[in-house]
Amino acid sequence: LSSYPSYIDLLPSIQTCNITNLPENYFLKYYLYHALTWPQLSFVAVVRPKGGYKAGTSKAGAGDLSGNYPKVVGYVLAKMEEEPTDGMQHGHITSLSVMRTHRRLGIAERLMRMSQKAMAESHRANYVSLHVRMSNVAALRLYRDTLGFEVEKVESKYYADGEDAYAMHLNLQSMW
Ligand code: ACO
């Protein structure tokens, strides 16, 4: 177990997955803030290196990420809303993506369901919210049709390039 990489070891690989798949990107310290503040809520899907983990045995030592660390092929970065305007304790999906090579395998659905369960069980979240581009057909189908999210409102020019967002939410009280 001691040689198994921790979530924090994987942050650079999570950031790479994000940059590869989405235009909304974050400083490494923002991932770290999520990991330290709400460690139960974020999850990754990884491809294991052949031969298992050998942390500490590579030339650069235990901190070397080049050789035998797993590659993140999907992640969900999630948090609890710190100052909810409606006064309701709720979770928020900051970012979700899956590498093209690993799509349509159910990874995103699984990551989302794990995060939603943790929000309900660890934080008694009333609901989970997120924003999604109106043009993002794949994500909209995942959220609305597969997971049961509902559109709460349209947020005009939410994204830096001027695109509108659907603000969506899903009630979690039945999971308490
Ligand atoms: N077209 C239509 N429906 C889709 C598609 C698609 N390309 N991809 C997923 N779905 C729907 C389907 O209903 C699917 O069920 P099915 O395969 O049984 O038909 C269901 O979602 C579950 O699909 P998963 O396999 O779990 O989804 P996947 O692992 O492929 O990831 C994701 C979906 C995250 C949207 C992926 O396409 C991706 O990374 N896209 C780029 C990044 C992105 O848009 N992220 C979301 C931004 S919003 C936010 O971060 C809060």
Side-chain angles (χ1 to χ4, degrees):
L1 268 181
S2 61
S3 65
Y4 193 94
S6 74
Y7 183 83
I8 287 174
D9 293 323
L10 296 175
L11 291 182
S13 186
I14 297 171
Q15 190 180 35
T16 299
C17 187
N18 165 261
I19 289 167
T20 308
N21 293 305
L22 281 169
E24 290 75 40
N25 309 131
Y26 314 94
F27 290 114
L28 206 53
K29 66 182 179 186
Y30 194 53
Y31 295 89
L32 192 57
Y33 182 62
H34 278 71
L36 293 175
T37 316
W38 307 281
Q40 310 88 351
L41 305 187
S42 293
F43 294 89
V44 291
V46 298
V47 177
R48 292 193 176 89
K50 279 186 187 164
Y53 305 111
K54 298 176 198 126
T57 60
S58 59
K59 277 183 195 156
D64 176 29
L65 298 183
S66 61
N68 46 35
Y69 267 50
K71 182 183 174 212
V72 171
V73 295
Y75 68 85
V76 60
L77 187 69
K79 64 178 187 173
M80 294 302 293
E81 200 61 71
E82 291 176 280
E83 293 174 3
T85 48
D86 58 4
M88 295 265 277
Q89 173 87 333
H90 70 273
H92 184 78
I93 303 298
T94 302
S95 184
L96 166 78
S97 78
V98 173
M99 288 296 211
R100 280 186 191 282
T101 46
H102 289 74
R103 289 188 188 163
R104 295 311 283 266
L105 298 173
I107 291 175
E109 179 184 352
R110 183 131 179 241
L111 291 169
M112 285 292 295
R113 290 194 190 281
M114 290 168 82
S115 187
Q116 290 164 198
K117 185 168 184 281
M119 285 172 186
E121 292 180 354
S122 305
H123 295 273
R124 286 177 73 85
N126 290 286
Y127 63 92
V128 52
S129 64
L130 57 81
H131 292 96
V132 58
R133 286 177 183 267
M134 289 178 76
S135 65
N136 193 340
V137 176
L140 270 169
R141 281 206 55 185
L142 166 70
Y143 297 140
R144 192 175 45 204
D145 303 339
T146 303
L147 296 170
F149 277 73
E150 292 176 352
V151 175
E152 188 195 3
K153 60 184 173 186
V154 173
E155 292 202 18
S156 181
K157 298 188 176 19
Y158 177 81
Y159 293 99
D161 60 7
E163 184 167 348
D164 297 347
Y166 285 124
M168 306 188 82
H169 63 207
L170 174 70
N171 196 301
L172 297 179
Q173 286 168 344
S174 62
M175 297 177 81
W176 287 6

